[in-house]
Amino acid sequence: MNIASPDKELSGVDTPFKVDRDRIIAAVDAAFDAQVDFLSGLIRCASLRGQEAEVQNLVEAALRGRGYEVERQPLDSSLIGRHPAFSPTTVSYADFWNVIGVRRPAVEHGRSLILNAHVDIVPTGEPERWQYPPFGPTRRDDWLYGRGSGDMKAGLSAAIFALDAISAAGLELTAPIQVHSVVEEEITGNGAAMALAGGYVADAVLIPEPTDEKLVRANSGVIKFAITIHGTPAHPREVSGGMSALDAAVRLIDRLRALEARWNEERPTKPFFDEVENPAALTIGTINGGEWIASVPSSCRFEGRIGFYPGDDPHERVKEFEAFIANVSTEDPLVQRCPKPIVEWVGVVHAGYTLAPGSDAEALLAQAHAAANAPHGSPLQAYVMACYLDAAVYSVHAGIPSLVYGPVAENIHAIDERVSLSSLRRVTKTIALFVAGWCGVRAAS
Amino acid sequence: MNIASPDKELSGVDTPFKVDRDRIIAAVDAAFDAQVDFLSGLIRCASLRGQEAEVQNLVEAALRGRGYEVERQPLDSSLIGRHPAFSPTTVSYADFWNVIGVRRPAVEHGRSLILNAHVDIVPTGEPERWQYPPFGPTRRDDWLYGRGSGDMKAGLSAAIFALDAISAAGLELTAPIQVHSVVEEEITGNGAAMALAGGYVADAVLIPEPTDEKLVRANSGVIKFAITIHGTPAHPREVSGGMSALDAAVRLIDRLRALEARWNEERPTKPFFDEVENPAALTIGTINGGEWIASVPSSCRFEGRIGFYPGDDPHERVKEFEAFIANVSTEDPLVQRCPKPIVEWVGVVHAGYTLAPGSDAEALLAQAHAAANAPHGSPLQAYVMACYLDAAVYSVHAGIPSLVYGPVAENIHAIDERVSLSSLRRVTKTIALFVAGWCGVRAAS
């Protein structure tokens, strides 16, 4: 949907676009090759879960080199179950930390801002199915290939280089700016939760996830589960004496499609979700069962996620999910032959958020988007993203207006993930103009 | 079925039962505690695939200590595809070897015999589900618990201690006896194939698999497959743009039940299989798919086995299986969205065998069974075992009459595997009497 006309005059928003637009845009252009180099360096770090140290060190050095105050913020797992923004985890957080850079103005009279990006990435799938090595960033025409290129190291580069461009344009911000380089977005959201729990709040947050240069109007609440089923192992010569945990798991996955359908049926009453094709989007992400080719499997475990709507209490959805499994386990002829399936909550258990239309932040982003794309480009569009986003942490638990807006990318979480460099360049400009407008600028001293 | 009356007189079979029965039986009884100790030592060796060295060393020492000529026979993987008894493997055979013990008589006028047992075992499943540690053999009442207790370390102990009892009774065999302690039965059958390829043949083979003191009349041909499906990974926010390899695998498993049903429908025309409930017994033993809880899985692999009938060419069944998969991959709406599934043959590809009724070997075993159990006990029963057995190697490729007969065991390939010690004692006696009758005995010099 079209959320704001680029020509609309906005009261109370002091935009820098007329005087500073060209200088800021020129500064983004001037540094863009360096930005792509920096982004390539980020992609080279295979920052899978638990392996984010290398990329975080790189980000930390980049921020320190630019004069930000930097905190390495360890994740405090004792907050899980105590702070409402945290979700369950199955791993120790001994070696997990956010990098948070802050720059405070000499004279402060604008609005503070957080630019957030996550550095964790998902696995690559079979590397041999990629056209180019997933951790060997490769540029072909407008595309930069690599795992994490779109989701969301490009966005992180946009945040840092947008701020650089403001400085390079001879300007300094008149409100505090924070860069949150967080971990754990892809599984728990506990990186963003930790940033928030550490007291890092602001008047708005912008997260340059790959959104095709659109704004996210709302996202899904999400819960991430693991289900383990035990069967009765047996030798193939007496299969009828056993009960295959694998067969029961396959049946349970099939039955779960009914829960997905039921949750999807609620969408007509849910603001912004009425035209989303599959808001629940039950996804079974992994399955592992059995130990031996010629034995009836004794156990099978699968993991997945399912979504729901902003405003829904995720803990109520957890109860609903568990009740559904319990019911299947008592009435399904196959599943009832196994002990009750064990449901674990292994990642995000979080509400969705909505960006209420009409905010100053959104209006300004629309203006920045238009100004960065002038004289071409279309007005800023907004859409619903049926997945978890760290924006939900800032929005739900701190009421911070949360803008998710970033470059065109393709095949995120898939083979041949890539980001459009022309889009990244535009988005970097939009972010720079937005930051300048939101925080305010003055000539650098 | 009742295959032979214990009272039947058999021409040409010189049974030692009348004169030596009591001495041999007493010798088995006298050594039975030692036999259980030896068996417990075998169980303590966690001889999973590729980890058979410890148990083979123990067997080798036992045979050398008893004066057998012993060969450590490495598995020669170059025979795969060249010698018809061999099946495909996915592992290197660098550290796989059989132990073969041979004792030749001073004066030879009986019939030679192989006693075969496999030492490899299948995984335990979750050890915490066992009443007793799977590799900590535990005796409770009549049962000895442990992985491999029934399948088939008890049988191996029976073979060795049956031969001991003949010696202890003051007798020596008048024909060559071989003990084949082989690997790889649980996956490829290439241990027995190697023994055969090494020239170890005889006039009969007896394999004390756990058969509840019955004789195996026939077994299934078996093929063991792995199927890999590639999908199109995607982010949950755009599941419709991906194609879950896991969902396709689940569908393909479901469709394979039709092949199982079709092969089962052939049973009315198949000798001995007409009353077998599920001769094909499609078993999916393992499944592994996906890498990330919140990604549409890019690949999924499952392994399994399916059976057919003696006389069927396993390579024709392979073709039939592959054609079935190819057909599903073109006409199933879900599976056709993925590249054609990759079918690999990763274990046994072998024909079944039938023990033709009326053989001298069977008749003598029936007499030995009756004599060992006299005055109680029921006549020897025979039944069909719908699984792979190493007996097929000796029978199909060398025409050796193959007797599979062993103790009562429960939960093989399952939790709390156990063997009945009273049954093991009876079976050891039966084997001793059979060996004495088959090979012939004379007073030890």
Side-chain angles (χ1 to χ4, degrees):
Chain A
M1 70 201 79
N2 180 354
I3 57 162
S5 156
D7 300 314
K8 186 177 170 189
E9 286 296 317
L10 291 159
S11 62
V13 176
D14 175 22
T15 78
F17 301 158
K18 288 189 184 64
V19 291
D20 300 316
R21 173 188 178 281
D22 293 350
R23 277 195 292 163
I24 289 173
I25 283 179
V28 170
D29 283 330
F32 193 68
D33 286 347
Q35 182 178 343
V36 174
D37 286 348
F38 178 75
L39 169 56
S40 298
L42 297 179
I43 294 169
R44 275 185 207 101
C45 303
S47 50
L48 296 156
R49 189 187 203 193
Q51 301 170 42
E52 300 93 341
E54 182 185 11
V55 74
Q56 290 288 62
N57 287 335
L58 203 156
V59 173
E60 182 177 353
L63 294 174
R64 287 195 191 280
R66 286 160 167 84
Y68 294 84
E69 301 165 34
V70 177
E71 184 192 359
R72 267 187 191 231
Q73 183 192 40
L75 266 58
D76 177 0
S77 57
S78 77
L79 293 170
I80 295 169
R82 296 196 295 128
H83 190 294
F86 282 76
S87 287
T89 181
T90 57
V91 302
S92 159
Y93 283 152
D95 285 321
F96 286 71
W97 70 90
N98 295 328
V99 171
I100 297 190
V102 180
R103 180 175 282 160
R104 298 173 206 284
V107 178
E108 181 170 337
H109 54 72
R111 292 162 296 191
S112 61
L113 181 68
I114 295 164
L115 297 175
N116 162 296
H118 69 84
V119 293
D120 54 314
I121 58 170
V122 301
T124 61
E126 303 95 318
E128 62 275 15
R129 294 180 67 191
W130 287 62
Q131 288 186 61
Y132 312 108
F135 300 116
T138 303
R139 188 171 176 167
R140 283 294 173 273
D141 304 320
D142 186 45
W143 298 100
L144 185 67
Y145 287 76
R147 170 59 84 230
S149 59
D151 184 11
M152 61 173 288
K153 292 173 175 178
L156 178 56
S157 80
I160 293 172
F161 280 76
L163 299 177
D164 285 357
I166 292 169
S167 301
L171 302 169
E172 61 183 33
L173 300 178
T174 57
I177 183 83
Q178 303 171 24
V179 177
H180 293 186
S181 179
V182 303
V183 294
E184 279 286 275
E185 194 271 350
E186 294 289 2
I187 178 76
T188 63
N190 287 341
M194 190 68 223
L196 185 67
Y200 289 102
V201 293
D203 294 317
V205 59
L206 188 152
I207 305 183
E209 288 270 13
T211 65
D212 297 340
E213 302 179 41
K214 297 176 194 166
L215 178 63
V216 174
R217 170 61 65 215
N219 83 330
S220 313
V222 171
I223 51 180
K224 290 179 180 168
F225 54 83
I227 297 182
T228 305
I229 300 183
H230 292 298
T232 306
H235 191 284
R237 82 186 201 197
E238 49 199 7
V239 284
S240 64
M243 173 58 221
S244 165
L246 194 159
D247 291 351
V250 164
R251 172 67 61 83
L252 188 53
I253 290 170
D254 185 56
R255 295 292 305 268
L256 274 169
R257 293 289 165 202
L259 184 70
E260 178 187 40
R262 188 201 297 171
W263 289 11
N264 278 340
E265 282 165 12
E266 299 175 22
R267 96 194 109 171
T269 66
K270 300 293 182 178
F272 308 114
F273 277 79
D274 47 323
E275 290 184 7
V276 175
E277 185 189 341
N278 183 5
L282 172 69
T283 305
I284 308 301
T286 72
I287 189 168
N288 293 283
E291 299 184 299
W292 192 252
I293 189 170
S295 294
V296 174
S298 67
S299 71
C300 192
R301 177 185 167 95
F302 59 93
E303 299 177 312
R305 53 81 75 200
I306 189 167
F308 41 91
Y309 306 93
D312 295 351
D313 179 343
H315 301 287
E316 290 300 316
R317 291 295 187 176
V318 160
K319 284 183 199 162
E320 201 178 337
F321 186 96
E322 289 178 341
F324 182 89
I325 299 293
N327 184 54
V328 171
S329 79
T330 56
E331 58 80 18
D332 184 275
L334 202 64
V335 182
Q336 73 183 188
R337 292 176 56 199
C338 297
K340 192 179 162 194
I342 299 160
V343 182
E344 296 166 275
W345 300 99
V346 296
V348 162
V349 174
H350 206 281
Y353 78 96
T354 300
L355 176 69
S359 68
D360 286 355
E362 177 175 338
L364 183 64
L365 183 68
Q367 289 187 306
H369 173 82
N373 287 284
H376 310 296
S378 53
L380 182 61
Q381 307 274 319
Y383 71 135
V384 168
M385 190 169 280
C387 67
Y388 170 79
L389 293 167
D390 273 347
V393 166
Y394 299 95
S395 178
V396 170
H397 302 290
I400 301 174
S402 299
L403 307 172
V404 177
Y405 169 91
V408 173
E410 291 183 351
N411 295 20
I412 65 168
H413 287 219
I415 307 290
D416 291 331
E417 179 178 352
R418 52 193 175 261
V419 66
S420 160
L421 293 174
S422 58
S423 175
L424 177 60
R425 186 190 291 246
R426 285 191 297 274
V427 162
T428 306
K429 293 171 182 173
T430 299
I431 293 174
L433 294 175
F434 173 79
V435 172
W438 183 259
C439 297
V441 289
R442 63 171 196 171
S445 52
Chain B
M1 71 200 78
N2 182 354
I3 56 163
S5 157
D7 300 314
K8 186 175 170 191
E9 285 296 318
L10 291 158
S11 62
V13 176
D14 175 23
T15 76
F17 303 157
K18 286 188 188 66
V19 290
D20 300 316
R21 174 188 176 279
D22 293 349
R23 275 194 294 161
I24 289 173
I25 283 178
V28 169
D29 283 329
F32 193 68
D33 287 347
Q35 182 178 345
V36 174
D37 285 348
F38 178 75
L39 169 56
S40 298
L42 298 178
I43 295 169
R44 275 184 207 102
C45 302
S47 50
L48 296 155
R49 190 187 201 193
Q51 301 169 44
E52 299 93 342
E54 183 185 9
V55 75
Q56 289 289 61
N57 286 337
L58 204 154
V59 174
E60 182 177 352
L63 293 174
R64 286 195 192 280
R66 286 161 168 83
Y68 293 85
E69 299 164 36
V70 177
E71 183 191 1
R72 266 188 192 231
Q73 183 192 40
L75 266 60
D76 178 359
S77 57
S78 77
L79 293 171
I80 296 170
R82 296 196 295 128
H83 189 295
F86 282 77
S87 288
T89 181
T90 57
V91 303
S92 159
Y93 283 152
D95 284 322
F96 286 71
W97 72 88
N98 295 328
V99 171
I100 297 190
V102 180
R103 180 175 283 158
R104 299 174 206 282
V107 176
E108 182 172 335
H109 55 71
R111 292 162 296 191
S112 61
L113 180 68
I114 294 164
L115 296 175
N116 163 296
H118 68 84
V119 293
D120 54 315
I121 58 170
V122 301
T124 61
E126 303 95 318
E128 62 273 17
R129 294 179 67 190
W130 287 62
Q131 287 186 63
Y132 311 107
F135 300 116
T138 303
R139 187 169 177 168
R140 281 296 174 273
D141 304 322
D142 185 47
W143 297 100
L144 184 68
Y145 287 77
R147 171 59 84 231
S149 58
D151 186 10
M152 63 171 290
K153 292 174 174 176
L156 179 55
S157 80
I160 293 172
F161 280 77
L163 298 178
D164 285 357
I166 292 169
S167 301
L171 302 169
E172 61 183 33
L173 299 179
T174 56
I177 183 84
Q178 303 171 23
V179 177
H180 294 187
S181 178
V182 303
V183 295
E184 280 285 276
E185 194 270 352
E186 294 289 3
I187 178 76
T188 63
N190 287 342
M194 190 67 225
L196 186 65
Y200 289 102
V201 293
D203 294 318
V205 59
L206 188 152
I207 305 184
E209 287 270 14
T211 65
D212 296 341
E213 302 179 41
K214 299 176 193 167
L215 177 64
V216 174
R217 167 64 62 214
N219 83 330
S220 313
V222 171
I223 53 180
K224 290 180 179 168
F225 54 83
I227 296 182
T228 304
I229 300 183
H230 292 297
T232 307
H235 191 283
R237 80 186 201 197
E238 48 199 7
V239 284
S240 64
M243 173 58 221
S244 166
L246 193 159
D247 291 351
V250 164
R251 173 67 60 84
L252 188 53
I253 290 170
D254 185 55
R255 296 292 305 268
L256 274 169
R257 293 290 165 202
L259 185 69
E260 178 188 39
R262 188 201 296 170
W263 290 9
N264 277 339
E265 282 164 13
E266 299 175 20
R267 96 194 109 173
T269 66
K270 301 291 181 178
F272 307 114
F273 277 79
D274 49 322
E275 290 183 11
V276 175
E277 185 188 342
N278 182 7
L282 172 69
T283 305
I284 309 300
T286 72
I287 188 168
N288 292 283
E291 299 184 301
W292 192 251
I293 188 170
S295 294
V296 174
S298 68
S299 71
C300 192
R301 177 184 167 95
F302 59 92
E303 299 177 313
R305 53 82 76 202
I306 189 168
F308 41 92
Y309 305 92
D312 295 351
D313 179 343
H315 301 287
E316 290 300 315
R317 292 296 188 175
V318 161
K319 284 184 199 163
E320 199 179 339
F321 187 94
E322 289 178 341
F324 183 90
I325 299 292
N327 183 55
V328 171
S329 79
T330 56
E331 57 80 18
D332 184 274
L334 201 64
V335 182
Q336 71 183 191
R337 292 177 55 200
C338 297
K340 190 179 164 195
I342 299 160
V343 182
E344 297 165 275
W345 299 100
V346 296
V348 161
V349 174
H350 205 282
Y353 78 96
T354 299
L355 176 69
S359 68
D360 286 355
E362 178 176 336
L364 182 63
L365 184 68
Q367 289 187 305
H369 172 83
N373 287 283
H376 310 295
S378 51
L380 181 62
Q381 307 275 317
Y383 71 136
V384 168
M385 191 169 281
C387 66
Y388 170 80
L389 292 167
D390 272 346
V393 165
Y394 300 95
S395 177
V396 170
H397 302 290
I400 301 174
S402 300
L403 307 172
V404 178
Y405 168 90
V408 172
E410 292 183 349
N411 296 19
I412 65 166
H413 287 220
I415 308 290
D416 291 332
E417 179 179 352
R418 52 193 174 261
V419 66
S420 161
L421 293 175
S422 58
S423 175
L424 176 59
R425 186 191 291 244
R426 284 190 299 272
V427 161
T428 306
K429 293 172 181 172
T430 299
I431 293 174
L433 294 175
F434 172 80
V435 171
W438 183 260
C439 297
V441 288
R442 63 171 197 172
S445 53

